[in-house]
């Protein structure tokens, strides 16, 4: 899913993702035993370019409670940060002589704002600013650099060319991996990712997807609404015997909408994780909240000058 996502101000009406399915639009699940097989139909997407917008709001707060000390010590241990990122990128679908899918992914624009303790500290708009502020160099480095992805029908990214190896993992997230088996309404699959948290270990994110509804797009294509739920677990070794990390609260849910070609039309996911780091001197309470939305803004026939 290429990057994370959101803006603090409301989206303009023309920028908002498509709404929920209209009443009467949902169809019954197929009667066939095999159910629905979600696949990327790259043969049908060949020669098209899709444009997406993706937004992420990441809210983080930390509170340090010391074993000794009064209110002043606790106050000095508090802090919060909010980062808002909005990105535009294109996917150009092609196939090589052997018929294998080649997807050309090009980030076009990045807008970002970072606030610390309620004060705006850094902003960036690649359309207006030449150099990004500290902390946003990674996003700016991807701009106008086209990555070429070899993707199979299940969404597995087999090869990535055109970008540095250190940046490739983020590009894989642009495609959800569909299950090989067929699905009926209420059935689904699971995906997992790992986030390192040195020196404590790793957080594991388990996302369960379930087919919820089958409808039709305005063009008459089958449209699938897929629910998503998130579970986070911790695995690792504390850096010292006296320190410990513990997840105390978590929640996460959202949905995907794709058409019969596997083309992503809309994606939303909100999550919240609260964890404690305990030590002899006291403890730290961390709250991490993420709001993500991605949607298709345009699908057009590829021009000769498209990257």
């Amino acid at each position: 899913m290429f990057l994370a996502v959101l803006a603090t101000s409301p989206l303009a009406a023309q920028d908002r993702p498509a709404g929920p399915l209209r009443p009467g639009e949902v169809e019954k699940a197929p009667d066939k035993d095999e159910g629905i097989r979600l696949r990327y139909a790259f043969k049908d997407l060949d020669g098209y370019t899709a444009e997406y917008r993706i937004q992420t709001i990441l809210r983080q707060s930390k509170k340090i409670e010391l074993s000794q000390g009064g209110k002043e010590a606790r106050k000095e241990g508090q802090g919060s940060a909010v980062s808002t990122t909005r990105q535009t990128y294109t996917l150009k679908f092609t196939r090589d002589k052997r018929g294998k899918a080649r997807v050309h992914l090009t980030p076009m624009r990045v807008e970002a704002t970072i606030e610390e303790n309620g004060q705006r500290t850094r902003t960036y708009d690649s359309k207006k600013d030449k150099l990004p502020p500290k902390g946003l160099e990674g996003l700016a480095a991807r701009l106008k650099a086209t990555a070429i992805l070899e993707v199979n029908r299940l969404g597995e990214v087999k090869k990535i060319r055109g970008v540095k190896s250190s940046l490739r993992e983020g590009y894989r997230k642009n495609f959800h991996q569909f299950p090989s088996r067929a699905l009926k309404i209420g059935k689904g699959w699971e995906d997992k990712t790992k986030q390192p948290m040195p020196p404590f270990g790793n957080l594991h994110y388990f996302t369960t997807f379930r087919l919820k509804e089958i409808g039709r797009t305005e063009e008459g294509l089958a449209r699938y609404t897929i629910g998503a739920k998130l579970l986070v677990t911790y695995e690792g070794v504390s850096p010292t015997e006296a320190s410990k990390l513990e997840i105390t609260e978590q929640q996460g849910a959202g949905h995907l909408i794709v058409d019969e070609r596997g083309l992503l039309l809309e994606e939303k996911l909100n999550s919240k994780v609260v964890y404690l780091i305990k030590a002899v001197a006291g403890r730290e309470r961390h709250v991490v909240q993420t709001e993500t939305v991605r949607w298709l803004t345009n699908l057009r026939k590829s021009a000769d000058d498209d990257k």
Side-chain angles (χ1 to χ4, degrees), residues 265-296:
L265 306 179
E266 177 185 309
E267 175 180 18
K268 292 183 179 180
L269 182 63
N270 297 334
S271 66
K272 178 182 179 181
V273 178
V274 181
Y275 63 91
L276 295 178
I277 299 177
K278 300 179 181 179
V280 175
R283 67 177 189 174
E284 295 181 9
R285 183 178 185 269
H286 295 256
V287 181
V288 182
Q289 295 176 273
T290 305
E291 303 169 30
T292 300
V293 61
R294 175 169 51 160
W295 68 100
L296 177 70

Side-chain angles (χ1 to χ4, degrees), residues 233-252:
T233 62
Y234 165 71
E235 177 186 48
V237 179
S238 299
T240 67
E241 294 182 1
S243 60
K244 179 182 178 182
L245 187 147
E246 176 186 356
I247 295 176
T248 60
E249 180 186 346
Q250 61 171 296
Q251 57 190 27

Side-chain angles (χ1 to χ4, degrees), residues 22-150:
R22 294 187 291 271
E25 189 178 12
V26 176
E27 299 176 348
K28 292 182 180 180
D31 293 327
K32 295 181 180 180
D33 292 339
E34 62 267 22
I36 292 294
R37 292 187 180 274
L38 297 173
R39 298 290 186 271
Y40 290 94
F42 290 114
K43 181 179 179 181
D44 297 331
L45 292 170
D46 184 20
Y48 283 88
T49 295
E51 182 176 301
Y52 285 93
R53 290 187 183 179
I54 182 169
Q55 301 179 98
T56 301
I57 294 178
L58 174 62
R59 306 178 189 273
Q60 302 180 83
S61 64
K62 178 176 69 173
K63 181 178 181 181
I64 300 175
E65 298 178 350
L66 302 177
S67 298
Q68 295 180 351
K71 295 182 179 179
E72 280 191 1
R74 286 196 294 271
K75 184 176 181 180
E76 290 177 356
Q78 294 178 343
S80 63
V82 179
S83 63
T84 299
T85 308
R86 187 176 188 178
Q87 302 165 74
T88 302
Y89 68 96
T90 60
L91 296 178
K92 179 182 177 182
F93 299 97
T94 65
R95 293 194 300 163
D96 63 15
K97 295 179 180 180
R98 297 172 295 171
K100 290 188 176 182
R102 296 289 186 271
V103 183
H104 301 242
L105 190 158
T106 307
M108 303 301 294
R109 184 179 182 181
V110 175
E111 300 166 83
T113 301
I114 297 176
E115 299 179 4
E116 296 177 348
N117 299 319
Q119 300 294 321
R120 179 174 294 189
T121 58
R122 284 166 284 177
T123 60
Y124 176 64
D125 184 346
S126 62
K127 196 173 182 179
K128 302 175 182 178
D129 304 321
K130 292 184 178 180
L131 296 176
K134 185 178 180 181
L136 299 177
E137 299 91 344
L139 291 178
R142 293 180 171 90
L143 283 169
K144 304 298 176 68
T146 298
I148 302 174
L149 286 61
E150 180 181 315

Side-chain angles (χ1 to χ4, degrees), residues 136-284:
L136 299 177
E137 299 91 344
L139 291 178
R142 293 180 171 90
L143 283 169
K144 304 298 176 68
T146 298
I148 302 174
L149 286 61
E150 180 181 315
V151 190
N152 67 15
R153 295 191 67 195
L154 292 178
E156 296 176 285
V157 179
K158 296 296 187 179
K159 292 182 182 179
I160 302 176
R161 295 184 288 114
V163 294
K164 296 179 180 179
S165 58
S166 59
L167 300 176
R168 291 176 184 173
E169 191 59 33
Y171 289 91
R172 295 182 186 277
K173 298 177 182 179
N174 281 273
F175 291 90
H176 287 284
Q177 289 191 28
F178 296 140
S180 57
R181 66 183 183 280
L183 300 175
K184 290 187 175 182
I185 296 292
K187 300 298 182 180
W189 73 99
E190 188 177 82
D191 180 51
K192 64 179 181 179
T193 58
K194 181 175 68 173
Q195 178 183 325
M197 285 193 64
F200 286 93
N202 301 298
L203 290 179
H204 295 271
Y205 290 82
F206 296 87
T207 306
T208 301
F209 298 99
R210 294 192 184 281
L211 181 62
K212 293 177 61 178
E213 295 177 338
I214 303 173
R216 291 284 172 184
T217 67
E218 294 180 357
E219 295 78 18
L221 300 174
R223 180 172 70 174
Y224 308 118
T225 300
I226 302 163
K229 288 189 176 181
L230 181 67
L231 173 68
V232 183
T233 62
Y234 165 71
E235 177 186 48
V237 179
S238 299
T240 67
E241 294 182 1
S243 60
K244 179 182 178 182
L245 187 147
E246 176 186 356
I247 295 176
T248 60
E249 180 186 346
Q250 61 171 296
Q251 57 190 27
H255 70 264
L256 316 175
I257 299 178
V258 301
D259 69 16
E260 63 186 51
R261 300 167 295 185
L263 187 69
L264 180 69
L265 306 179
E266 177 185 309
E267 175 180 18
K268 292 183 179 180
L269 182 63
N270 297 334
S271 66
K272 178 182 179 181
V273 178
V274 181
Y275 63 91
L276 295 178
I277 299 177
K278 300 179 181 179
V280 175
R283 67 177 189 174
E284 295 181 9

